[in-house]
Amino acid sequence: MVKKWKSDKAVDICNYVILSVILVICVFPLLYVISVSLTPITEVHKNGGFLVIPRAITLDAYKTIIDQRMLPRAMGITAYITILGTVINIVATVIMAYPLSKRKLAGRRFLIPFIIFPMLFSGGTIPTYLLIKNLNMIGTYWALMIPGAVYTYNLLVVKAFFENLPEELFESARIDGANEFYVLWKIVVPLSKPVIMTMVLFYAVGHWETYFDSIMYLPDQNMQTLQVVLRRMLTPNAEMNADITIPTMTLQMAMVVFTTLPIIVIYPFIQKYFTKGIMLGAVKG
């Protein structure tokens, strides 16, 4: 018994050490970015560019970003695309995953490989652009939401989660006269909150970080998303000339913090669902 207790204790110590190292590896880049964004560039150079805890603080980089006229509009556009796009993603994913989770679905063996195939072999950039153009979605925000309404991986995770739900609940509801839509929205969705919240995070992050699609499908600069506008602010021909007063390095780090902060703020509220949703949805019991 003593030997077993010592062995367990040694394993716990090893786990704590490994997790501590991983924590440092993950947290250090974030601390570095925040510190450089808040520190005068002269102080950064004094420390050889290696800075974790700022000794002098300046908010000039953040003030420069916030003062840009094009930034509030870009943030509003990105928030609109993120919210509406995520709603479309979740509704479409749930509606597709529910019937696919039913073993008795006619043609199920054909449909699932047909859905997986595009995940492995996509049509390519040019065919996708031509398709969106023929659908008259170029220059509209729908081009950033409709084509990617359902991600195959997310669909498979949600489908696997639905398959793990007890079939007895559905049968009882059907005996009481409930139709499939009632079963889906009143029974399946409430029980699937962990995986749905996980998918909300995945989809929302994807919309918030939209860059390439915005360049491809939104030729009007007044319609472009936050990531594109921030990139324009750092180019040599940018509308703002921040390098006169704010060093590029400091401005870049401030932009990283500025764009990731909303996701960092939201994540703790859905973190409790994240691990459970992934584990239950990815493994079929």
Side-chain angles (χ1 to χ4, degrees):
M1 294 295 294
V2 175
K3 290 183 178 179
K4 184 178 180 180
W5 180 83
K6 289 183 177 179
S7 176
D8 292 343
K9 188 174 182 179
V11 171
D12 290 340
I13 293 174
C14 290
N15 288 337
Y16 283 127
V17 172
I18 294 173
L19 291 175
S20 298
V21 172
I22 295 175
L23 177 64
V24 171
I25 293 174
C26 294
V27 171
F28 174 78
L30 181 60
L31 292 178
Y32 174 78
V33 169
I34 295 175
S35 298
V36 173
S37 69
L38 294 173
T39 304
I41 195 65
T42 54
E43 189 69 24
V44 175
H45 291 327
K46 286 181 182 178
N47 290 272
F50 184 85
L51 188 69
V52 178
I53 300 177
R55 298 180 181 178
I57 295 179
T58 176
L59 299 176
D60 291 342
Y62 293 96
K63 292 178 181 178
T64 302
I65 294 174
I66 294 174
D67 288 342
Q68 301 309 305
R69 291 177 298 175
M70 52 188 167
L71 196 60
R73 178 179 178 83
M75 284 198 67
I77 291 171
T78 304
Y80 168 76
I81 293 172
T82 300
I83 295 172
L84 181 57
T86 301
V87 171
I88 293 173
N89 292 141
I90 295 300
V91 172
T93 301
V94 169
I95 290 177
M96 284 189 65
Y98 178 66
L100 290 173
S101 66
K102 301 302 178 183
R103 301 180 185 275
K104 297 180 181 179
L105 177 68
R108 183 174 183 267
R109 292 185 178 181
F110 169 78
L111 290 173
I112 293 178
F114 184 78
I115 292 171
I116 295 176
F117 185 83
M119 182 176 68
L120 304 176
F121 304 97
S122 64
T125 302
I126 295 177
T128 302
Y129 179 85
L130 293 176
L131 174 62
I132 294 176
K133 181 179 179 181
N134 291 333
L135 293 174
N136 295 321
M137 289 194 294
I138 298 295
T140 69
Y141 296 127
W142 297 115
L144 306 183
M145 296 181 281
I146 300 301
V150 178
Y151 291 174
T152 304
Y153 173 78
N154 295 347
L155 174 65
L156 296 177
V157 171
V158 177
K159 166 188 162 293
F161 189 96
F162 288 170
E163 290 175 344
N164 285 323
L165 296 176
E167 185 65 27
E168 292 78 8
L169 291 176
F170 310 146
E171 294 297 336
S172 299
R174 295 188 187 102
I175 292 174
D176 292 337
N179 56 32
E180 291 298 332
F181 281 102
Y182 183 92
V183 172
L184 175 61
W185 297 116
K186 295 297 184 178
I187 299 177
V188 176
V189 171
L191 292 175
S192 305
K193 188 178 293 185
V195 75
I196 290 177
M197 295 305 295
T198 301
M199 294 304 112
V200 167
L201 178 64
F202 285 175
Y203 282 125
V205 170
H207 287 300
W208 183 261
E209 295 179 351
T210 297
Y211 177 77
F212 183 73
D213 287 351
S214 179
I215 295 176
M216 286 283 293
Y217 306 129
L218 299 177
D220 187 352
Q221 292 189 351
N222 293 325
M223 297 179 63
Q224 288 179 341
T225 58
L226 178 63
Q227 307 296 336
V228 178
V229 171
L230 291 177
R231 179 65 183 88
R232 284 166 50 197
M233 291 168 63
L234 288 175
T235 58
N237 297 323
E239 298 177 13
M240 57 172 281
N241 194 9
D243 269 350
I244 296 178
T245 56
I246 307 297
T248 301
M249 181 180 181
T250 304
L251 193 61
Q252 288 174 335
M253 298 303 176
M255 287 182 177
V256 172
V257 176
F258 190 80
T259 55
T260 56
L261 186 61
I263 301 300
I264 294 175
V265 171
I266 293 173
Y267 178 75
F269 294 98
I270 61 177
Q271 187 271 338
K272 63 180 180 179
Y273 302 110
F274 185 78
T275 303
K276 184 178 180 182
I278 288 296
M279 293 302 295
L280 294 180
V283 179
K284 179 69 175 71

